[in-house]
Amino acid sequence: MIDFPRMAADAAPAADPSPELGALPRWNLDDLYTGPEAPERIADLDWARAEAKAFASDYQGKLETLTREGRLIEAIRRTEALGEKTGRIGSYSYLYYVQNTADPDRAKFLGDMGEALTELSSGLIFFELELNRIDDGVLEAAFAADPELARYRPWFAELRKAKRYQLEDRVEQLFHDKSVSGATAWNRLFDDTMASLKFEVDNQTLGLEGTLNLLTDKREAKREAAFHGLSKTLGANARLFTHITNVLAKDKEISDRWRGFEDIADSRHLANSVEREVVDALEKAVQEAHPRLSHRYYAMKAKWFGKETLNAWDRNAPLPTSDDRVFDWASARDTVMEAYSAFSPELAKVAEPFFAKGWIDAPVTEGKGPGAFAHPTVPSVHPYLMLNYLGKPRDVMTLAHELGHGVHQVLAGPQGPLMAPTPLTLAETASVFGEMLTFRSMLDKTTDKRLRFAMLSSKVEDMLNTVVRQIAFYSFERKVHAARRKGELKTEDLNRFWLEVQAQSLGPAITLNEGYEVFWAYIPHFIHSPFYVYAYAFGDCLVNSLYAQYETASEGFAERYLDLLRAGGSKHHSELLKPFGLDARDPGFWSLGLGMVERLIDELAATAPS
């Protein structure tokens, strides 16, 4: 087990040295708790258990009376205070676990804390249900009489949208209590299994992250070996992943059916505060753009490789004129911070503590969770960023992306526990914008034509992966969940759905080699957050439109942009986009965002080296 040393708030974070990358920062989780058995953690859980019981005793069955008496704000303050404590415990247990998912003690701690938090919160199910039974007129009168309560009007508005899907209190409590042995348990099985898988690549035994990384290796033989290593191990475990997918899709179908959701993705749209027709328009716009975007680009890439078509393991291959630079950690930090600062010194000031105070965990280590993320924790603390940093230019973009999430979460924090969280459709705004700022900054400093071409092509590929690939993921999920409503799915069904959407999105220039059919199995979003994936495409197209405005009318833009981030979840996306003259309901909105990708492909076609 890894124990982090206690540090003063302004002390330098612990770091892992790397001969090539320099000192890579590790998390200092002390701002949450100093360890699993920290007295503060134990005391907080004891307090939360007692407060949850007291909260239920004080308010259950009494909320309408409390509202009529002008005292509802008391309950709001208490629920936020309780959420701060439980959020802190939940955040720490997850971050502590993800540092080494192979450690059984950490896994047990995560499970124990999850069960404890679920148990104490089961007695609080009544709160939102009962709030939604308060008469609209009574609630409006309470808002008019109490400005502090009125500040929470946006939160109540979102809550009211779920009113028609609420169930009787005891059924809601049953759903909640059963989640520990239901969806949560299956999610953990997926994570634990994926963390334990080993992939054989050229007589090397690798984990998932290291194997996936080889798919971007410059050596085709290494890419092909990684592809077959992935295919073999995923195929050998396909029965388990199929079963997990079946169980979770059925679990969602049961919940949707009881609640009365019409469409398989409506619960996600509700959580995202976005209308179904907006997402449908996005999916349609991206699919119609396939010939102009992904099909065209991959055909161009095949020619650059001197091939008629690319194999599946060549899709993310670096170009012959690829950007092979290795950025040590200090260079990556400086590159991103310079880009942020040039756009807004205030934005850079918010970002600086992530590097100075142990808020980033960068190195690839045994058992560490794959990928990268930004965890918001709770408003009274700060977010934590996780990376698996290997020094590639794409890793610099990942740092810029996750740092964008982090500064967004910091800026939204003053909204408080109830309104700081941002819907997924806007949660990617700051991250993708941070990437774009960093990319443009790096491109402007690059004079070598071949290197500029490599950077442009890499950016196009990232955009295609963010927009085209994520919408293909969304289409795959729609097929899976629609088919699951008719009966249990076989691995062959999932494989077929995967190949169908991949062929449609990637086009004829990509060969879907044998073994690729099972690559759906390692995508964690399908397991953890059904239909999450369209948020990436939403965010990318939105940012493309925002950035186009920044380029043409930058005066005052940074201030409006920071205001958007500060709003957190307190405003609907239509209200937040209005100061920029953008409307996601306008069919032309998505075309505007996709047009930026198309223009980059045009530039590549015009400047491709002979």
Side-chain angles (χ1 to χ4, degrees), residues 218-402:
K218 197 163 188 176
R219 297 161 293 180
E220 182 173 3
K222 188 65 72 173
R223 296 195 304 271
E224 183 177 0
F227 174 91
H228 291 306
L230 283 165
S231 176
K232 182 179 179 181
T233 298
L234 293 176
N237 291 272
R239 183 177 179 183
L240 174 59
F241 293 128
T242 298
H243 187 51
I244 293 172
T245 300
N246 269 298
V247 169
L248 288 173
K250 184 62 178 178
D251 182 82
K252 184 179 185 302
E253 185 274 327
I254 293 170
S255 177
D256 285 354
R257 173 161 39 88
W258 275 70
R259 296 186 183 285
F261 286 111
E262 296 176 4
D263 185 78
I264 51 180
D266 275 353
S267 59
R268 174 60 63 193
H269 303 333
L270 179 67
N272 286 350
S273 189
V274 67
E275 300 74 23
R276 187 200 306 170
E277 56 268 25
V278 172
V279 181
D280 289 346
L282 168 62
E283 183 183 24
K284 182 180 179 182
V286 172
Q287 290 175 344
E288 289 178 348
H290 284 161
R292 307 192 307 274
L293 302 182
S294 51
H295 295 187
R296 180 187 177 200
Y297 175 76
Y298 290 125
M300 292 164 54
K301 185 171 183 177
K303 290 182 179 179
W304 296 333
F305 275 81
K307 298 182 176 183
E308 289 294 321
T309 61
L310 295 171
N311 289 303
W313 53 81
D314 295 327
R315 183 177 61 85
N316 283 326
L319 294 173
T321 56
S322 64
D323 185 354
D324 294 327
R325 290 175 293 177
V326 173
F327 291 79
D328 62 26
W329 180 252
S331 298
R333 177 197 62 217
D334 292 347
T335 297
V336 174
M337 286 295 287
E338 286 174 12
Y340 274 47
S341 182
F343 170 73
S344 166
E346 183 178 353
L347 190 69
K349 185 177 180 180
V350 176
E352 193 277 334
F354 285 88
F355 297 96
K357 295 187 176 181
W359 300 0
I360 301 176
D361 198 282
V364 178
T365 56
E366 183 70 24
K368 183 179 177 180
F373 63 75
H375 194 301
T377 72
V378 291
S380 62
V381 186
H382 54 76
Y384 283 91
L385 311 186
M386 192 195 83
L387 309 173
N388 278 276
Y389 189 79
L390 295 168
K392 294 185 176 183
R394 182 167 282 126
D395 293 323
V396 180
M397 293 297 110
T398 300
L399 171 59
H401 181 102
E402 301 305 337

